Amino acid sequence: MGLQLNWNRRGFLGTAAAVAASIFGPGKLWAGAAKVNGTAAVTGFGQTGNVYDELGVPTVINCEGTMTMLGGSILRPELEAVMAMAGRHFVSIPALEVAAGKRISEMLKLPDGYSALVTSGAAAAIQSGLAGILTGDNESFIRQIPDLTGMKSEVIIQKSHRNPFDHQLRNTGIKLVEVETRDQVRQAVSDRTAMMHFSNFANATGQIKVDEWIKLGKQYNIPCMNDAAADTPPVSHLWDYANMGYDLITFSGGKAMRGPQCAGLLIGRKDLVGYALLNNSPNEDTIGRSQKVGKEEIIGMVKALELYLKEDHDALTREWQARLERISGELTKIPGVSTSFFTPDIANHVPHMQISWDSRVPLESKQVSQMLRNSKPSIVIGGGEGRPGLTMCSFMLQPGEDKIVAEQLSRVLREHSA
Ligand SMILES: *Cc1c(COP(=O)(O)O)cnc(C)c1O
């Protein structure tokens, strides 16, 4: 029976190989399948080239930026190719993680004693980083967490820095201790304190700023983490906070760096990065086993970083601004419509455009937003959120999409003009 099965299986594989060879040519079985080599196009679930449409999920034009909910960012073609190469071999994942960390530290010229870990995202980096601080290399602690018996159990955070991603801190079993003033930090510090957490995007809202937070951490001898997930550009943020002395820093790979959506970086002190890896996939019976990062993502993250660092960032900013101005040029032809430009200081630090209109266009921004969402192609653009009109950025637009946005938005505003 076993023999029969084997024979059948071999027979089947033999047939499949023959068919594939006739399509891709001999010796090109797997390499050919990953390439589109002119003779046979790789297909998704049909022939359109848009696998999402073929599955019945319409794709959208993204005017909102690097939103996880919309798919993060779009891979550069050379990154796609490198990730496909990564998928063709088996390799020791822990050894790959160590090598990736070394390469990343060199590329970023991190301070002595710093390294990096590729995680499945910034959220995973937050959780694994804190888990590592709590457990060190103690195997029973690693298995025991989130039961923190015998470990430290508190993380200090400014009240205005609380955000949905502190769930990843709470996952480890710690309790968040909220503070607002320097005096409250002093009172909050105890032998239960494992870490002081900083949310980079909230720098302006908290009383204690990013540089002072780390000074307090050093003064009280408590490791500090800075969640800077969405805070490139500027590129220098990739090393600024390590140079400032932060023990751990987290970044998303699938945002402005345009790495794999399921990748991120934990940058930090070598010992702590090592402990984070012990608490992370592929290691089993760990809190981070569910945050698997694949060989393709690890290679993809390293390559994405390399490509990102090589880019002409000033030229990119000019291109993003030019796209907005082209859209503005069309929109401001409509009586009552005006635009203005701004760049947020932190988080999505890229050119943005505010689109406003007066009573000559009797529409709420939410209505315009909804009409564009329902248009074909569907356009995602934010309305409301405290500001009048619509706000958009252009850094996730694909070639030619600025023209479509200008046309669709003009049409909607004109059709409803008084
Ligand atoms: C996006 C984001 C995260 C999560 O990053 P992922 O890479 O999606 O896991 C965490 N913190 C902040 C502030 C973010 O913007």
Side-chain angles (χ1 to χ4, degrees):
M1 182 67 192
L3 200 72
Q4 184 69 18
L5 215 98
N6 274 343
W7 186 87
N8 279 342
R9 202 172 137 68
R10 205 165 33 235
F12 167 76
L13 283 177
T15 313
V19 171
S22 73
I23 298 172
F24 300 117
K28 284 240 174 121
L29 182 48
W30 308 118
K35 279 184 209 152
V36 180
N37 60 12
T39 53
V42 174
T43 60
F45 311 106
Q47 303 299 323
T48 68
N50 186 327
V51 287
Y52 301 107
D53 279 345
E54 287 166 3
L55 273 189
V57 187
T59 48
V60 301
I61 292 178
N62 177 4
C63 299
E64 292 211 324
T66 53
M67 312 298 289
T68 298
M69 199 70 89
L70 293 178
S73 54
I74 302 280
L75 301 181
R76 297 170 186 81
E78 57 269 56
L79 185 59
E80 273 179 42
V82 171
M83 287 177 71
M85 287 177 190
R88 290 182 198 140
H89 304 276
F90 292 104
V91 67
S92 157
I93 296 290
L96 177 60
E97 279 285 23
V98 171
K102 187 160 174 283
R103 177 62 66 92
I104 292 166
S105 322
E106 289 162 5
M107 282 195 289
L108 297 180
K109 300 187 179 66
L110 294 178
D112 273 354
Y114 273 67
S115 186
L117 178 69
V118 178
T119 60
S120 64
I126 292 169
Q127 186 179 296
S128 304
L130 174 57
I133 288 175
L134 292 166
T135 65
D137 58 2
N138 183 315
E139 259 188 69
S140 50
F141 282 172
I142 290 169
R143 280 197 292 269
Q144 185 189 308
I145 198 171
D147 168 0
L148 296 180
T149 309
M151 290 172 251
K152 295 182 192 286
S153 58
E154 289 178 1
V155 169
I156 300 173
I157 186 170
Q158 295 184 78
K159 202 171 179 177
S160 56
H161 286 227
R162 293 289 314 269
N163 74 86
F165 294 103
D166 63 46
H167 202 129
Q168 272 61 56
L169 297 172
R170 290 178 278 123
N171 279 350
T172 64
I174 59 91
K175 190 168 137 276
L176 290 173
V177 179
E178 290 181 6
V179 297
E180 284 177 278
T181 64
R182 292 154 190 84
D183 215 38
Q184 285 170 348
V185 176
R186 188 174 53 74
Q187 286 164 13
V189 171
S190 75
D191 55 12
R192 294 182 300 281
T193 312
M195 190 180 88
M196 288 168 56
H197 189 72
F198 196 87
S199 303
N200 207 51
F201 70 87
N203 190 43
T205 61
Q207 286 184 30
I208 308 170
K209 305 301 178 198
V210 66
D211 48 341
E212 192 183 352
W213 190 255
I214 180 62
K215 280 188 194 135
L216 290 175
K218 300 260 186 242
Q219 182 183 330
Y220 298 123
N221 201 22
I222 295 169
C224 289
M225 178 186 282
N226 187 7
D227 173 20
D231 293 336
T232 59
V235 187
S236 66
H237 278 182
L238 287 165
W239 50 85
D240 284 346
Y241 303 112
N243 288 333
M244 210 178 262
Y246 273 86
D247 301 273
L248 290 173
I249 309 110
T250 62
F251 291 101
S252 283
K255 293 183 181 167
M257 282 189 264
R258 294 180 59 194
Q261 188 179 10
C262 301
L265 289 176
L266 179 68
I267 288 171
R269 265 169 45 194
K270 257 184 194 149
D271 56 339
L272 298 182
V273 166
Y275 302 151
L277 176 54
L278 294 178
N279 278 280
N280 209 47
S281 180
N283 297 305
E284 295 181 353
D285 199 356
T286 62
I287 193 172
R289 177 59 183 80
S290 53
Q291 309 178 138
K292 186 192 288 180
V293 55
K295 56 194 182 304
E296 298 84 356
E297 281 81 23
I298 299 172
I299 289 291
M301 186 69 248
V302 177
K303 190 69 190 177
L305 193 59
E306 185 192 296
L307 295 169
Y308 185 60
L309 291 172
K310 268 196 231 154
E311 254 168 347
D312 180 345
H313 296 275
D314 291 337
L316 275 179
T317 303
R318 284 195 298 274
E319 165 59 20
W320 297 334
Q321 179 68 25
R323 289 177 192 170
L324 293 177
E325 285 173 11
R326 284 199 291 272
I327 297 170
S328 171
E330 287 305 309
L331 298 181
T332 50
K333 288 179 189 161
I334 306 166
V337 177
S338 61
T339 58
S340 61
F341 301 93
F342 66 98
T343 298
D345 286 337
I346 205 149
N348 289 310
H349 179 69
V350 296
H352 280 62
M353 179 166 68
Q354 181 81 25
I355 306 159
S356 316
W357 52 89
D358 63 19
S359 55
R360 281 172 278 183
V361 186
L363 281 176
E364 303 266 341
S365 42
K366 275 207 180 99
Q367 292 174 294
V368 179
S369 200
Q370 195 57 52
M371 284 185 242
L372 289 168
R373 183 78 207 217
N374 295 339
S375 72
K376 274 191 175 42
S378 177
I379 296 171
V380 180
I381 183 167
E385 286 166 30
R387 291 173 186 265
L390 299 170
T391 301
M392 71 169 289
C393 57
S394 66
F395 76 137
M396 289 297 121
L397 292 181
Q398 302 304 297
E401 287 183 346
D402 53 339
K403 192 155 174 281
I404 301 175
V405 172
E407 282 167 7
Q408 303 266 43
L409 193 47
S410 296
R411 184 180 50 75
V412 165
L413 295 174
R414 275 186 208 282
E415 275 175 7
H416 294 82
S417 285

